[in-house]
Amino acid sequence: MLKFAARSDVGKVRSKNDDSAYVGRYLAVVADGMGGHVGGDVASASTVLDLVHLDVPDTPDAETVLPDEIQAANLVLNELVNANPKLSGMGTTVTAMLLTGNVLQFAHIGDSRAYRLKNGVFEQVSHDHTFVQRLVDEGRLRPEEAEMHPHKNVLLRVLGDSDASPELDINQYPVEAGERWMLCSDGLNAVVPDSITERIMRGTASLEETANDLVETTLAHGSPDNVTIVVFEVVEADPETDLPPESDADSAAEPAPDTGQLTIAAEGGLEAGAALIRHEMSKRPHLLVGAAQLATETGKIPVVTQRSGEKRAAAILTHKGPGTPTDPTEDFEQSESRPRRWLVPTFLALMALILAAVCIWGYLWTQTQYFVGNHDGKVAIFKGVSQDLGPLKLSHVDAVTDIPLDALPEYTRQRIQSSLPARDLAHAQMIVNELTVTVKQNCPVVVPEHPGSPAALTPLPSYCQEIRP
């Protein structure tokens, strides 16, 4: 089983802790929530609390139960968003380990990390699902450059309402007594190099000292983000220590829920739901830190209720259950949002007006343009542009000349058929004059004949008689 320690801190900059973590005899979970003002703590706490029932010695379907339960927790997040649109866009990373026999089942998504110290070797076993890590994996970025990349925190995979079936990294690690593991949110590795983390992991005598030193080192480096540390060591199982000492259990245990409490919790009662979670966890040694701890203590954010028998009766507790006192700041946010319902239709109407104005201006501009093209087999000057916009014609004939296309050289004829753009009307007339000169070079030489002779009676084409502007 696992011997453990954990600590979470809001950090030097953030005003709210969006991290959550749980660790017990057989389960360790770290979740780093995201989603702004209201979503991050909800996502991480809901996910962690939905996994605590796995902290038992014997788990059926050992190789699949952890990823299956994480997928189920993801569905809970989707339901939370459906129940409360203010939570839209929230998400969370998850790095979880479940001890089944002598194997640690591993499931991971996001950029929280898992490190192992075994047989003198310290290594990271998780893989960051970030944009920068993908660039490193593809050889497009060096690891040392990744640390300074402006998009190093862009996540490619998380739990949340954006994906109904997120892709998890899954693995199994055979364990031996004495090896140490550390799970952390990215608040640690964002400011503390792995070399310092390794030194602390190797040099501290107790797990509590390890967790405290890692958090304090992070705070000393500025800690712009929340930081959460879970440290555990694999030890030989002792049945006598599998339950809390009687003195601790008697003082900490919540009363067993009755039918009435279960019903109230299922209907959204915050206090009842929090009491069920506390009762579930009080039956076993554990540490709960961060937003998940706040959820069970105060009921201020959604949590998932306990399992009833073999089938989980998941009831989602929203921010305000029946009879819950209203938060004045929340009422202020809601009252501010009601008048803003006109913003969307106003914005759409404004965009439609701008689009109409652009279209009108574009059409008027086309009517200031000219080009030389083909009209019924003759060279003509057109006003507008040669392209059409669907059924809308963007040009019309301004003047038709007497120059047939057949009288022009092949190359010139193709250019006319494709249209020759002109800067203005004068330029278009100049192009026509040049074409007239070109075609006139092919006119026959006429020798003056007596009036009435056959040659004199044959009329010449008009373009051979004069050069017309």
Side-chain angles (χ1 to χ4, degrees), residues 77-99:
L77 297 183
N78 291 328
E79 294 178 17
L80 284 171
V81 173
N82 292 333
N84 188 351
K86 288 174 62 177
L87 301 176
S88 179
M90 73 175 179
T92 183
T93 70
V94 178
T95 302
M97 309 207 75
L98 176 65
L99 183 62

Side-chain angles (χ1 to χ4, degrees), residues 145-212:
E145 296 174 330
E147 296 299 324
M148 305 302 295
H149 198 282
H151 302 306
K152 68 177 183 178
N153 293 325
V154 176
L155 291 170
L156 300 181
R157 282 195 261 163
V158 292
L159 292 192
D161 69 318
S162 60
D163 192 348
S165 183
E167 181 183 355
L168 304 172
D169 287 351
I170 303 170
N171 212 333
Q172 291 82 36
Y173 295 96
V175 294
E176 300 173 358
E179 64 183 75
R180 281 190 177 186
W181 289 76
M182 189 267 288
L183 311 183
C184 66
S185 62
D186 70 330
L188 171 69
N189 53 272
V191 295
V192 179
D194 282 1
S195 58
I196 296 179
T197 300
E198 179 180 358
R199 186 171 71 245
I200 294 174
M201 287 281 290
R202 291 180 182 274
T204 47
S206 68
L207 298 177
E208 290 79 8
E209 184 181 354
T210 302
N212 289 331

Side-chain angles (χ1 to χ4, degrees), residues 19 97 108 124 127 217 239 270 318 399 409 437:
D19 289 358
M97 309 207 75
H108 163 76
Q124 177 184 340
H127 190 77
T217 301
L270 292 175
T318 55
V437 171

Side-chain angles (χ1 to χ4, degrees), residues 70-123:
I70 292 177
Q71 294 284 3
N74 183 69
L75 296 178
V76 170
L77 297 183
N78 291 328
E79 294 178 17
L80 284 171
V81 173
N82 292 333
N84 188 351
K86 288 174 62 177
L87 301 176
S88 179
M90 73 175 179
T92 183
T93 70
V94 178
T95 302
M97 309 207 75
L98 176 65
L99 183 62
T100 57
N102 62 347
V103 175
L104 271 174
Q105 309 293 335
F106 172 77
H108 163 76
I109 188 170
D111 64 348
S112 296
R113 289 185 175 181
Y115 293 86
R116 176 176 64 179
L117 178 58
K118 181 176 183 179
N119 298 328
V121 177
F122 179 79
E123 60 180 337

